[in-house]
Amino acid sequence: MDIPHFLFGVLGNATALFLFLSPMITFKRIIRSKSTEQFSGIPYVMTMLNCLLSAWYGLPFVSPHNILVSTINGTGAAIEIIYVMIFIIYAPKKEKGKIGGLFTFAMGAFAAVALVSVFALQGKNRKLFCGLAASVFSIIMYGSPLSIMRTVIKTKSVEYMPFFLSLFVFLCGTSWFIYGLLGRDPFVAVPNGFGCGLGALQLILYFIYRDSQPGPDEKPTIDGSNMEMGLHKSQLDKPQATAKVDRDDQL
């Protein structure tokens, strides 16, 4: 067994689990208020699809020696399905239909990839097909915090970008990037290298703006970037209470 390869896989499992569990703050709030308010369910459906495809890619008959990829992404898929179900239960009728339809599409897309890979492909072609599908959605998942980074630059404040979530995005991406390099697997290394870079940029922004205080004209408004993060006006009066919540919605 390649010990460094295994150890970075274990570290990747630990940091990824933290990221998958971080939206619990948001969903406790949704359950307590019995409303999804203005939060978006799309990131959870996309993350679920990414986890399903990555878990499938890591299976031995698709990609040998990547079982640690399957374990954490299988766990992540189960967690994200729970999030999506809770969101659908408490969403208003129109949003319920939209997220329900997107969930059905995501499950259909995963089923199509799985069936094609099993019945139409084998060997390297199977690994290539599944790896490309998993990589695309991994990059989409890692790219979701870009709107928050834009908000940080615009407001000169890290109020809506908690340090520890940015840190774990960086650690997760870095761990799986090195795991992919050690295993000579571009389908693991490339998307997680992208995640590592974005995590590093978030940390750099945090240290640049951590002591900055936005002026009245720089505060995000209901018509601006706060709407992207699922905020409404009553939340703007409680920046400390929402700081942990809104970053979750991007993961």
Side-chain angles (χ1 to χ4, degrees):
M1 179 186 291
D2 188 335
I3 300 299
H5 186 242
F6 175 78
L7 290 178
F8 275 102
V10 171
L11 180 59
N13 271 247
T15 53
L17 183 61
F18 178 89
L19 289 178
F20 293 142
L21 292 176
S22 60
M24 287 179 66
I25 299 170
T26 297
F27 282 91
K28 284 180 180 178
R29 172 181 178 147
I30 288 173
I31 293 171
R32 187 168 57 246
S33 65
K34 293 182 172 57
S35 170
T36 57
E37 301 175 27
Q38 295 183 39
F39 291 111
S40 171
I42 295 175
Y44 306 109
V45 179
M46 292 296 100
T47 302
M48 178 201 73
L49 180 55
N50 166 66
C51 288
L52 287 170
L53 292 171
S54 296
W56 183 262
Y57 173 74
L59 293 174
F61 68 89
V62 176
S63 173
H65 315 302
N66 272 330
I67 193 64
L68 287 174
V69 174
S70 282
T71 55
I72 187 56
N73 282 287
T75 302
I79 293 171
E80 297 298 328
I81 288 173
I82 293 172
Y83 291 156
V84 173
M85 292 297 101
I86 293 174
F87 193 93
I88 291 174
I89 289 170
Y90 291 108
K93 188 174 181 179
K94 184 177 179 180
E95 189 73 8
K96 196 188 299 282
K98 183 175 77 172
I99 299 303
L102 187 60
F103 174 77
T104 302
F105 168 79
M107 296 301 291
F110 167 68
V113 169
L115 290 172
V116 170
S117 67
V118 169
F119 295 109
L121 301 170
Q122 56 183 341
K124 290 183 178 180
N125 289 333
R126 177 185 291 166
K127 180 178 180 179
L128 177 63
F129 176 70
C130 296
L132 285 173
S135 295
V136 167
F137 283 94
S138 290
I139 290 173
I140 290 173
M141 183 185 74
Y142 276 124
S144 61
L146 286 172
S147 61
I148 287 185
M149 294 169 66
R150 184 172 67 248
T151 299
V152 169
I153 295 171
K154 180 179 178 181
T155 65
K156 298 180 174 58
S157 170
V158 295
E159 184 177 13
Y160 299 103
M161 192 176 72
F163 171 75
F164 284 106
L165 283 177
S166 298
L167 175 64
F168 274 88
V169 167
F170 172 72
L171 292 176
C172 181
T174 301
S175 300
W176 288 114
F177 173 61
I178 297 174
Y179 177 90
L181 289 179
L182 293 174
R184 297 179 177 84
D185 191 332
F187 299 118
V188 176
V190 171
N192 285 288
F194 181 76
C196 171
L198 279 180
L201 285 176
Q202 290 178 51
L203 291 175
I204 290 170
L205 285 177
Y206 183 89
F207 284 107
I208 290 174
Y209 295 113
R210 60 178 177 170
D211 296 323
S212 299
Q213 294 296 327
D217 296 334
E218 295 174 321
K219 283 283 188 181
T221 67
I222 186 65
D223 296 320
S225 54
N226 273 330
M227 183 60 75
E228 293 180 278
M229 293 179 281
L231 288 171
H232 50 66
K233 192 176 186 301
S234 64
Q235 290 173 266
L236 299 181
D237 298 327
K238 302 176 182 179
Q240 296 303 318
T242 59
K244 295 180 180 179
V245 174
D246 300 303
R247 178 64 171 78
D248 297 338
D249 219 29
Q250 304 298 325
L251 289 174

PDB file of all heavy atoms in Angstrom, residues 114-127:
ATOM      1  N   ALA A 114     -24.252   5.937 -14.935  1.00  0.00           N
ATOM      2  CA  ALA A 114     -23.973   4.613 -14.374  1.00  0.00           C
ATOM      3  C   ALA A 114     -24.313   3.497 -15.367  1.00  0.00           C
ATOM      4  O   ALA A 114     -23.529   2.561 -15.580  1.00  0.00           O
ATOM      5  CB  ALA A 114     -24.756   4.423 -13.077  1.00  0.00           C
ATOM      6  N   LEU A 115     -25.477   3.595 -16.007  1.00  0.00           N
ATOM      7  CA  LEU A 115     -25.911   2.555 -16.935  1.00  0.00           C
ATOM      8  C   LEU A 115     -25.022   2.498 -18.178  1.00  0.00           C
ATOM      9  O   LEU A 115     -24.645   1.413 -18.637  1.00  0.00           O
ATOM     10  CB  LEU A 115     -27.370   2.782 -17.332  1.00  0.00           C
ATOM     11  CG  LEU A 115     -28.403   2.532 -16.221  1.00  0.00           C
ATOM     12  CD1 LEU A 115     -29.788   2.977 -16.679  1.00  0.00           C
ATOM     13  CD2 LEU A 115     -28.416   1.064 -15.811  1.00  0.00           C
ATOM     14  N   VAL A 116     -24.686   3.677 -18.724  1.00  0.00           N
ATOM     15  CA  VAL A 116     -23.805   3.706 -19.895  1.00  0.00           C
ATOM     16  C   VAL A 116     -22.445   3.114 -19.561  1.00  0.00           C
ATOM     17  O   VAL A 116     -21.875   2.330 -20.336  1.00  0.00           O
ATOM     18  CB  VAL A 116     -23.654   5.146 -20.420  1.00  0.00           C
ATOM     19  CG1 VAL A 116     -22.545   5.227 -21.471  1.00  0.00           C
ATOM     20  CG2 VAL A 116     -24.956   5.634 -21.022  1.00  0.00           C
ATOM     21  N   SER A 117     -21.911   3.479 -18.392  1.00  0.00           N
ATOM     22  CA  SER A 117     -20.581   2.989 -18.010  1.00  0.00           C
ATOM     23  C   SER A 117     -20.564   1.477 -17.787  1.00  0.00           C
ATOM     24  O   SER A 117     -19.560   0.824 -18.058  1.00  0.00           O
ATOM     25  CB  SER A 117     -20.094   3.707 -16.747  1.00  0.00           C
ATOM     26  OG  SER A 117     -20.882   3.364 -15.622  1.00  0.00           O
ATOM     27  N   VAL A 118     -21.673   0.928 -17.324  1.00  0.00           N
ATOM     28  CA  VAL A 118     -21.725  -0.512 -17.047  1.00  0.00           C
ATOM     29  C   VAL A 118     -21.972  -1.325 -18.320  1.00  0.00           C
ATOM     30  O   VAL A 118     -21.300  -2.333 -18.572  1.00  0.00           O
ATOM     31  CB  VAL A 118     -22.817  -0.826 -16.000  1.00  0.00           C
ATOM     32  CG1 VAL A 118     -23.063  -2.335 -15.910  1.00  0.00           C
ATOM     33  CG2 VAL A 118     -22.409  -0.289 -14.641  1.00  0.00           C
ATOM     34  N   PHE A 119     -22.917  -0.877 -19.140  1.00  0.00           N
ATOM     35  CA  PHE A 119     -23.360  -1.692 -20.269  1.00  0.00           C
ATOM     36  C   PHE A 119     -22.723  -1.347 -21.611  1.00  0.00           C
ATOM     37  O   PHE A 119     -22.731  -2.162 -22.533  1.00  0.00           O
ATOM     38  CB  PHE A 119     -24.888  -1.615 -20.403  1.00  0.00           C
ATOM     39  CG  PHE A 119     -25.611  -2.218 -19.237  1.00  0.00           C
ATOM     40  CD1 PHE A 119     -26.284  -1.407 -18.334  1.00  0.00           C
ATOM     41  CD2 PHE A 119     -25.609  -3.589 -19.028  1.00  0.00           C
ATOM     42  CE1 PHE A 119     -26.957  -1.960 -17.246  1.00  0.00           C
ATOM     43  CE2 PHE A 119     -26.285  -4.147 -17.946  1.00  0.00           C
ATOM     44  CZ  PHE A 119     -26.949  -3.334 -17.057  1.00  0.00           C
ATOM     45  N   ALA A 120     -22.170  -0.134 -21.720  1.00  0.00           N
ATOM     46  CA  ALA A 120     -21.624   0.267 -23.020  1.00  0.00           C
ATOM     47  C   ALA A 120     -20.110   0.457 -23.024  1.00  0.00           C
ATOM     48  O   ALA A 120     -19.508   0.540 -24.098  1.00  0.00           O
ATOM     49  CB  ALA A 120     -22.302   1.557 -23.486  1.00  0.00           C
ATOM     50  N   LEU A 121     -19.515   0.551 -21.855  1.00  0.00           N
ATOM     51  CA  LEU A 121     -18.078   0.843 -21.784  1.00  0.00           C
ATOM     52  C   LEU A 121     -17.364  -0.137 -20.873  1.00  0.00           C
ATOM     53  O   LEU A 121     -17.973  -0.788 -20.030  1.00  0.00           O
ATOM     54  CB  LEU A 121     -17.868   2.276 -21.265  1.00  0.00           C
ATOM     55  CG  LEU A 121     -18.506   3.403 -22.075  1.00  0.00           C
ATOM     56  CD1 LEU A 121     -18.413   4.711 -21.306  1.00  0.00           C
ATOM     57  CD2 LEU A 121     -17.856   3.532 -23.441  1.00  0.00           C
ATOM     58  N   GLN A 122     -16.070  -0.196 -21.042  1.00  0.00           N
ATOM     59  CA  GLN A 122     -15.264  -1.012 -20.140  1.00  0.00           C
ATOM     60  C   GLN A 122     -13.835  -0.496 -20.107  1.00  0.00           C
ATOM     61  O   GLN A 122     -13.419   0.264 -20.976  1.00  0.00           O
ATOM     62  CB  GLN A 122     -15.279  -2.479 -20.569  1.00  0.00           C
ATOM     63  CG  GLN A 122     -14.822  -2.735 -21.991  1.00  0.00           C
ATOM     64  CD  GLN A 122     -14.938  -4.199 -22.377  1.00  0.00           C
ATOM     65  OE1 GLN A 122     -15.029  -5.066 -21.527  1.00  0.00           O
ATOM     66  NE2 GLN A 122     -14.940  -4.471 -23.679  1.00  0.00           N
ATOM     67  N   GLY A 123     -13.106  -0.912 -19.090  1.00  0.00           N
ATOM     68  CA  GLY A 123     -11.691  -0.558 -18.974  1.00  0.00           C
ATOM     69  C   GLY A 123     -11.438   0.937 -18.943  1.00  0.00           C
ATOM     70  O   GLY A 123     -12.083   1.698 -18.222  1.00  0.00           O
ATOM     71  N   LYS A 124     -10.489   1.384 -19.761  1.00  0.00           N
ATOM     72  CA  LYS A 124     -10.079   2.789 -19.770  1.00  0.00           C
ATOM     73  C   LYS A 124     -11.194   3.717 -20.241  1.00  0.00           C
ATOM     74  O   LYS A 124     -11.308   4.853 -19.774  1.00  0.00           O
ATOM     75  CB  LYS A 124      -8.843   2.968 -20.657  1.00  0.00           C
ATOM     76  CG  LYS A 124      -7.580   2.343 -20.068  1.00  0.00           C
ATOM     77  CD  LYS A 124      -6.373   2.622 -20.948  1.00  0.00           C
ATOM     78  CE  LYS A 124      -5.111   2.036 -20.329  1.00  0.00           C
ATOM     79  NZ  LYS A 124      -3.904   2.284 -21.177  1.00  0.00           N
ATOM     80  N   ASN A 125     -12.009   3.249 -21.183  1.00  0.00           N
ATOM     81  CA  ASN A 125     -13.110   4.084 -21.673  1.00  0.00           C
ATOM     82  C   ASN A 125     -14.133   4.355 -20.580  1.00  0.00           C
ATOM     83  O   ASN A 125     -14.680   5.449 -20.478  1.00  0.00           O
ATOM     84  CB  ASN A 125     -13.789   3.417 -22.871  1.00  0.00           C
ATOM     85  CG  ASN A 125     -12.928   3.438 -24.107  1.00  0.00           C
ATOM     86  OD1 ASN A 125     -12.092   4.320 -24.270  1.00  0.00           O
ATOM     87  ND2 ASN A 125     -13.100   2.461 -24.988  1.00  0.00           N
ATOM     88  N   ARG A 126     -14.389   3.349 -19.753  1.00  0.00           N
ATOM     89  CA  ARG A 126     -15.315   3.518 -18.633  1.00  0.00           C
ATOM     90  C   ARG A 126     -14.760   4.533 -17.637  1.00  0.00           C
ATOM     91  O   ARG A 126     -15.481   5.434 -17.184  1.00  0.00           O
ATOM     92  CB  ARG A 126     -15.557   2.178 -17.944  1.00  0.00           C
ATOM     93  CG  ARG A 126     -16.457   2.263 -16.717  1.00  0.00           C
ATOM     94  CD  ARG A 126     -16.550   0.906 -16.034  1.00  0.00           C
ATOM     95  NE  ARG A 126     -17.307  -0.037 -16.860  1.00  0.00           N
ATOM     96  CZ  ARG A 126     -17.323  -1.350 -16.656  1.00  0.00           C
ATOM     97  NH1 ARG A 126     -16.620  -1.877 -15.663  1.00  0.00           N
ATOM     98  NH2 ARG A 126     -18.046  -2.130 -17.436  1.00  0.00           N
ATOM     99  N   LYS A 127     -13.478   4.396 -17.317  1.00  0.00           N
ATOM    100  CA  LYS A 127     -12.848   5.321 -16.371  1.00  0.00           C
ATOM    101  C   LYS A 127     -12.843   6.739 -16.930  1.00  0.00           C
ATOM    102  O   LYS A 127     -13.130   7.706 -16.207  1.00  0.00           O
ATOM    103  CB  LYS A 127     -11.419   4.872 -16.067  1.00  0.00           C
ATOM    104  CG  LYS A 127     -10.689   5.775 -15.083  1.00  0.00           C
ATOM    105  CD  LYS A 127      -9.292   5.252 -14.767  1.00  0.00           C
ATOM    106  CE  LYS A 127      -8.589   6.182 -13.787  1.00  0.00           C
ATOM    107  NZ  LYS A 127      -7.232   5.691 -13.437  1.00  0.00           N
TER     108      LYS A 127
END
